[in-house]
Amino acid sequence: MARSTHSACTSVLVGKQATLDGSTLIARTEDNAHACNPKRFVVIPEQQHRKDIFTSANNGFIWELDGSGLRYTATPEVNTGEGLYEEAGINAAGVAMSATESTYTNEYVLAHDPLVKDGLAEDALVTVVLPFISTAREGIERIAQIVAAKGSAEGNSILLADANEVWYLELATGHHWVAQRIPDDAYAVCANRLSIQEVDFASDDFMASEGIRAFVEKHHLNPRPDTFDFRRIFGTYSQQDTHYNAPRVWYGQRLFTPGVVQEPEDLNLPFIRRADRLLGVDDVAGLLSSHFEGTPFDPLGSEGDERTRTRYRSIALSRTQEGHVLQIRPNRAPEHAGIHWVSLATTAFSPFVPFFANADQSHPAWESVAERPDPESAYWLLRTLGMLAENRYELVARTANDYLKASWQKAHEFVAATDRTCAGMTGAKLTATLTKLNSAFMDRMLTDLRSVLQDIVIASAEDSRLSFDMDANL
């Protein structure tokens, strides 16, 4: 059976005309059923495949890998016994991919095209697709080829981007799917529901599985035959959607388009939205780090009451294992366009560290294979930070927020300085320089992380309830 612990994520996609600098942005949290499921951040080297057989440790899915596999960044599991789950990365051609956000299809549709037990699943998607594509559209086409041949084991939504286009693909059943290009001037926030709405089969901005319209017509699945609303036909409208999924979309649209008043339990929130301002990496990462701040629904907040603060599922969770913003910058060669912003452990308290994707390796602390808490592991240090900050939130919130703000400033300074240093560089020299600069910056982040942990431990010790005020003369 396919593992079901990777069951909840939040996705954000932003077109190039909707961003501050013309970048395309795709981003997601990776959530798990367990609080501690350690992740690594690594670079997978270029490989030459000669009809190599990939076999999933998760569900036995098999696919032949042939030809040149590009180098790419990834965040695999530390324990790969049940699958790689590489999740997200940017390849050497400047293509970004994030897979997957788990999504759910209604039982009426699945009755006619059930999921395939040993079909393509989340654990394998990045591994068998990202190294072999040079555009986002090619990513859609490769996934379509695999699903047509082997089927899909899960309902999954997949994000793809290059310097020009951003795509969102929803695998709904064993063999049927729809993909939509996000308009250049728009964004989308998605949260474990099928999101794509009306499909224009004549438009180049949509792609779909072969025979999907005939499938729907044959089985009388469309409640509104005058249009083809993918969400309405294939999706769910459940109590779980009301409390678990829709509020996250509502909050994202509330942050980016505050001029539109909506309700958090509205199951008909639009898929495509235009923001009230141009969006940056900080905005997208901020959403992935959020927990309904400024509303009565914040589980760490003081507004509302116990009932409202536990009413909805937050975006950042204790069981978030990593978050990423994949940025493909404009007017640059692919070798200098991609930045993989990575946040290990709980995004509410972990900084997003910029990593120039054209590098040969990341950093030993981020590559750590420690399965249990380890002071040399970035994942475990950040997991410790999140635990301490959440447990003593009122006491240390300001310290944690100051640390995150300082990290953002240093991150942007690093990106700007690296661009200046690498101006005019190409080829092996550029790769070697970016590798060195990435690692040095991660050293700085590690030093800052250990320092803030020390501050929080000291502050928490001083505030212990096992204290007693004595006369100063005693």
Side-chain angles (χ1 to χ4, degrees):
M1 287 293 291
R3 189 168 67 167
S4 61
T5 54
H6 291 249
S7 59
C9 305
T10 306
S11 300
V12 187
L13 310 94
V14 190
K16 60 186 179 181
Q17 293 177 9
T19 61
L20 285 166
D21 64 351
S23 293
T24 57
L25 300 174
I26 58 174
R28 185 170 59 88
T29 57
E30 179 192 353
D31 303 329
N32 195 281
H34 306 289
C36 297
N37 188 66
K39 303 291 296 186
R40 309 172 64 210
F41 178 65
V42 300
V43 178
I44 307 298
E46 179 181 357
Q47 301 179 61
Q48 290 298 321
H49 298 279
R50 293 177 175 83
K51 298 187 182 300
D52 300 330
I53 301 301
F54 171 89
T55 303
S56 165
N58 173 40
N59 68 341
F61 163 78
I62 295 174
W63 190 252
E64 183 180 276
L65 304 179
D66 195 29
S68 178
L70 298 172
R71 183 194 64 225
Y72 62 101
T73 57
T75 49
E77 309 278 84
V78 165
N79 182 345
T80 59
E82 294 185 74
L84 294 175
Y85 290 91
E86 291 186 325
E87 294 300 316
I90 300 173
N91 71 17
V95 181
M97 178 179 180
S98 177
T100 71
E101 170 206 338
S102 300
T103 45
Y104 299 91
T105 303
N106 67 65
E107 61 273 24
Y108 309 110
V109 175
L110 286 172
H112 300 289
D113 185 23
L115 299 169
V116 179
K117 181 179 178 180
D118 60 350
L120 181 63
E122 177 176 355
D123 70 295
L125 259 157
V126 168
T127 311
V128 301
V129 174
L130 185 56
F132 303 97
I133 58 176
S134 58
T135 67
R137 283 180 186 263
E138 284 185 15
I140 304 291
E141 292 164 356
R142 184 171 176 87
I143 295 167
Q145 174 195 11
I146 297 172
V147 170
K150 305 290 290 187
S152 177
E154 303 162 339
N156 278 321
S157 297
I158 300 151
L159 298 70
L160 288 147
D162 53 38
N164 295 309
E165 297 186 336
V166 175
W167 281 85
Y168 189 64
L169 166 65
E170 297 187 320
L171 298 174
T173 69
H175 302 88
H176 286 299
W177 55 271
V178 165
Q180 182 175 352
R181 179 185 174 183
I182 306 302
D184 291 342
D185 64 344
Y187 72 90
V189 177
C190 311
N192 300 128
R193 287 187 75 208
L194 292 177
S195 297
I196 295 174
Q197 295 176 290
E198 186 171 352
V199 179
D200 182 352
F201 290 97
S203 170
D204 196 41
D205 292 334
F206 289 87
M207 301 172 71
S209 53
E210 184 176 352
I212 189 171
R213 284 185 286 182
F215 167 79
V216 169
E217 183 176 352
K218 176 182 178 180
H219 298 293
H220 311 289
L221 299 172
N222 191 349
R224 298 175 181 172
D226 57 321
T227 186
F228 194 97
D229 186 323
F230 186 65
R231 183 199 296 173
R232 178 64 60 178
I233 298 168
F234 286 78
T236 57
Y237 288 77
S238 66
Q239 190 71 4
Q240 174 172 307
D241 294 324
T242 301
H243 290 268
Y244 194 81
N245 301 328
R248 287 178 279 155
V249 178
W250 163 79
Y251 190 71
Q253 294 186 0
R254 181 179 185 266
L255 289 183
F256 296 163
T257 315
V260 177
V261 178
Q262 301 176 132
E263 295 301 320
E265 297 183 15
D266 186 351
L267 298 185
N268 294 304
L269 295 172
F271 172 46
I272 301 297
R273 271 288 188 208
R274 271 75 184 178
D276 286 2
R277 65 186 188 283
L278 295 176
L279 301 174
V281 171
D282 306 48
D283 295 302
V284 174
L287 175 57
L288 297 186
S289 305
S290 66
H291 39 87
F292 299 123
E293 294 95 324
T295 77
F297 313 118
D298 182 357
L300 299 179
S302 57
E303 297 185 38
D305 52 34
E306 184 176 350
R307 181 174 178 273
T308 62
R309 290 195 290 270
T310 57
R311 185 174 179 83
Y312 302 135
R313 184 265 208 222
S314 177
I315 292 175
L317 295 172
S318 63
R319 57 190 175 91
T320 300
Q321 305 304 321
E322 57 92 14
H324 50 266
V325 181
L326 308 181
Q327 178 184 20
I328 308 298
R329 302 183 299 169
N331 305 317
R332 287 177 168 84
E335 61 182 354
H336 197 55
I339 302 178
H340 186 143
W341 298 77
V342 60
S343 170
L344 295 182
T346 303
T347 49
F349 303 108
S350 298
F352 281 78
V353 178
F355 183 87
F356 284 84
N358 180 15
D360 289 328
Q361 60 188 44
S362 66
H363 184 284
W366 273 259
E367 296 172 344
S368 170
V369 295
E371 294 190 46
R372 293 176 63 82
D374 186 319
E376 301 303 317
S377 162
Y379 172 89
W380 284 112
L381 288 171
L382 289 162
R383 174 61 67 199
T384 302
L385 172 62
M387 181 193 69
L388 292 173
E390 180 185 344
N391 288 342
R392 305 302 300 274
Y393 188 69
E394 292 184 3
L395 174 68
V396 304
R398 182 166 184 174
T399 299
N401 288 333
D402 287 348
Y403 159 70
L404 293 173
K405 287 174 63 177
S407 297
W408 271 115
Q409 180 174 335
K410 291 176 182 179
H412 288 301
E413 290 171 352
F414 166 67
V415 170
T418 301
D419 284 343
R420 291 192 296 270
T421 299
C422 296
M425 287 187 190
T426 59
K429 182 179 181 181
L430 176 60
T431 301
T433 302
L434 291 175
T435 302
K436 180 180 179 180
L437 293 175
N438 282 337
S439 184
F441 184 69
M442 291 170 126
D443 275 336
R444 292 180 59 196
M445 292 292 98
L446 203 57
T447 298
D448 290 349
L449 172 56
R450 287 178 169 140
S451 178
V452 75
L453 280 169
Q454 292 167 344
D455 291 342
I456 289 175
V457 167
I458 291 170
S460 298
E462 292 289 348
D463 194 54
S464 172
R465 285 177 291 179
L466 290 174
S467 299
F468 192 83
D469 290 330
M470 294 189 298
D471 189 308
N473 295 318
L474 294 178

